[in-house]
Amino acid sequence: MQPGISPSLFLGALLTLGLILTAGSTPASAGSGDALSRTLKLPKASLLVTEHGRPVISRHPDRAMVPASTLKILTALATIERWGLDHRFHTDFYLGNDDRLWVKGYGDPYLVSEELDLIADALKARGVRKVAGIGTDDSYFDPNLAISGRSSSDNPYDAPVTGLAANFNTVNVINKGGKVRSAEAQTPLTPMARRFGQGLGAGTHRVNLEQREKAVRYFGELLSAKLEQAGVRVGSNLRNGPVPTRIKKVYRHQNSRDLRSVITAMLEYSNNFIANALFLKLADRGDGRALNMSKAQRAFARWVDQTFEWRDYRIEDGAGLSRGNRLSARQLLEVVNAFAPYRTLLPKQNAQVRAKTGTLRGVSTYAGFVKRNGRWEPFSLLINQPVPYNLRRQVASSLANTPDLTRLCPGGSC
């Protein structure tokens, strides 16, 4: 595995597995028959497909549906319009008169182990050789942050979202005979990770850090370990709170990954942590006040209203976790059309399909582009009833390969 990629690969694989297991759908092929024709007969399915801007299939296009993770396309579009694809998120480092190193987080969602290596090396290059302890300031996000749709499971996709976070607020450990070690060469085992591992059965586990307090402490522990590896002596005292006033800033770290890379990972691995961190950051108006989901929902709604002028919709989070989210196939297709300049950021099913899936129990969705007659054409599919897991992919393949779609939906409406 290449350095800098493995945490997201592990998380993505496990997240996908977790969604499959909780989908409440038959994880088998759709069976015999034409998937597209059978989907058009489902009572709780909406499908909208256009060619040259005109509908060729339109099935319940204005029905409000649960979009699940296809909502991440909308979140991605909002972040691109706000910051641009070349933007890099930052984290600030301060050194107090007592030699404590303070870290102020601003919701950078991609502070993985390899990024902490770069931070440790940069601090050492700036003359930091010894610190009395680590101070963490995660006040950028509200400490009582509650995300709609997030459950209390230990699955990676249910990780808490904090202003400072390492490895998407997850730990990856191996428990063998009661002995715990890190499952990643790039991630030292910290006391917090060891405690989590000791509470798990034998085998390899990636689990989320459950609560803000544990997540922020883990960040401090992992940063301490990385500094020690870089040759910086670190005292054992960890403290969480606001950065003291009149303290010297020694370094601002710009993440090595730009927004293009962050969004690509978010969409490819359906990373809920990244999506909701971005959703929250979109509410930042520079007033220094902590961000919460209410502020984020209002800010996002203002942007949606200005961008699309929709009448009936509901967005409660940026990842699609909440079952309270509502979009219609027509609205989702508008999002896909607006995302056309960034089509290559969408996951690639094959040479003919680039699209984002969405999965909750009893919800199976898909939206993006299919290649027909040499052109990329948009589609949106929202199914809010249990169906075979691969049905949506088979529908997309049918959309790409059926020569004449109008025969299935005469006049474009069916």
Side-chain angles (χ1 to χ4, degrees):
M1 295 182 183
Q2 297 178 356
I5 296 179
S6 53
S8 56
L9 286 176
F10 277 123
L11 178 56
L14 284 173
L15 181 142
T16 302
L17 175 61
L19 289 179
I20 292 172
L21 292 176
T22 60
S25 303
T26 306
S29 66
S32 61
D34 181 74
L36 182 52
S37 296
R38 287 183 293 108
T39 298
L40 291 173
K41 297 176 183 177
L42 294 173
K44 295 183 180 180
S46 298
L47 176 61
L48 185 57
V49 188
T50 63
E51 281 188 308
H52 303 282
R54 296 181 178 179
V56 289
I57 296 180
S58 180
R59 168 78 168 169
H60 302 312
D62 297 308
R63 176 184 289 177
M65 304 281 275
V66 180
S69 282
T70 57
L71 187 64
K72 289 184 174 76
I73 306 174
L74 185 60
T75 301
L77 180 65
T79 60
I80 293 170
E81 292 197 0
R82 171 72 178 269
W83 293 297
L85 288 172
D86 295 328
H87 181 77
R88 297 172 189 269
F89 297 117
H90 71 270
T91 305
D92 287 341
F93 295 81
Y94 302 80
L95 197 59
N97 293 330
D98 59 355
D99 289 332
R100 179 180 296 278
L101 179 70
W102 282 91
V103 190
K104 170 68 175 179
Y106 294 93
D108 184 342
Y110 224 109
L111 288 174
V112 294
S113 294
E114 295 86 349
E115 204 66 30
L116 295 184
D117 285 327
L118 298 178
I119 290 170
D121 290 342
L123 287 169
K124 185 177 180 181
R126 283 160 175 76
V128 178
R129 296 290 186 272
K130 179 182 178 181
V131 297
I134 301 292
T136 52
D137 183 344
D138 73 321
S139 59
Y140 185 66
F141 292 157
D142 190 299
N144 300 311
L145 191 64
I147 295 176
S148 299
R150 178 180 171 244
S151 75
S152 59
S153 82
D154 65 0
N155 286 302
Y157 58 78
D158 275 326
V161 179
T162 52
L164 272 175
N167 294 326
F168 318 116
N169 276 341
T170 66
V171 293
N172 191 15
V173 294
I174 297 172
N175 185 325
K176 187 174 182 179
K179 294 183 178 180
V180 178
R181 60 184 175 87
S182 175
E184 300 171 349
Q186 73 275 17
T187 307
L189 185 71
T190 75
M192 179 69 69
R194 180 179 288 107
R195 284 196 291 275
F196 268 84
Q198 288 171 341
L200 301 169
T204 301
H205 308 269
R206 183 180 283 279
V207 297
N208 77 66
L209 287 160
E210 296 178 348
Q211 302 168 358
R212 169 197 170 233
E213 293 78 8
K214 294 177 181 178
V216 177
R217 182 172 184 85
Y218 177 71
F219 180 92
E221 290 180 355
L222 189 56
L223 177 61
S224 296
K226 290 295 189 179
L227 287 167
E228 290 280 0
Q229 287 182 345
V232 178
R233 293 176 59 190
V234 183
S236 60
N237 187 277
L238 293 175
R239 181 183 301 172
N240 186 48
V243 172
T245 58
R246 298 178 182 179
I247 192 172
K248 180 183 177 183
K249 184 190 293 185
V250 293
Y251 177 51
R252 167 165 285 188
H253 180 74
Q254 304 280 350
N255 200 297
S256 65
R257 293 168 178 81
D258 58 16
L259 185 61
R260 178 183 287 101
S261 300
V262 172
I263 287 175
T264 299
M266 177 187 76
L267 295 174
E268 177 70 24
Y269 304 116
S270 204
N271 189 304
N272 296 327
F273 176 87
I274 294 176
N276 275 319
L278 295 176
F279 185 72
L280 285 157
K281 284 179 68 62
L282 286 165
D284 188 350
R285 292 295 177 262
D287 59 9
R289 296 180 180 178
L291 304 177
N292 58 38
M293 290 302 285
S294 294
K295 289 181 180 179
Q297 289 164 357
R298 291 194 297 270
F300 205 80
R302 285 194 296 270
W303 174 79
V304 168
D305 292 343
Q306 293 169 3
T307 304
F308 296 104
E309 298 181 350
W310 294 337
R311 288 182 177 273
D312 299 313
Y313 71 93
R314 184 173 181 82
I315 297 171
E316 296 187 347
D317 75 300
L321 279 171
S322 175
R323 291 177 179 274
N325 294 319
R326 291 292 185 275
L327 288 180
S328 69
R330 192 184 306 279
Q331 290 165 339
L332 187 53
L333 195 80
E334 287 187 54
V335 176
V336 171
N337 272 319
F339 205 73
Y342 319 111
R343 183 184 64 245
T344 57
L345 303 183
L346 288 168
K348 186 177 181 180
Q349 177 180 317
N350 52 45
Q352 295 176 294
V353 181
R354 280 191 174 273
K356 177 73 190 78
T357 58
T359 310
L360 294 170
R361 189 179 300 277
V363 176
S364 183
T365 62
Y366 210 22
F369 299 88
V370 294
K371 200 167 190 178
R372 292 180 50 79
N373 303 316
R375 288 175 52 90
W376 287 101
E377 303 288 2
F379 77 95
S380 59
L381 171 64
L382 298 164
I383 303 173
N384 284 188
Q385 65 182 80
V387 293
Y389 182 76
N390 287 327
L391 177 63
R392 55 193 166 189
R393 297 185 185 274
Q394 294 172 338
V395 168
S397 293
S398 293
L399 292 175
N401 295 311
T402 301
D404 182 11
L405 292 174
T406 60
R407 68 176 178 80
L408 294 167
C409 212
S413 180
C414 53

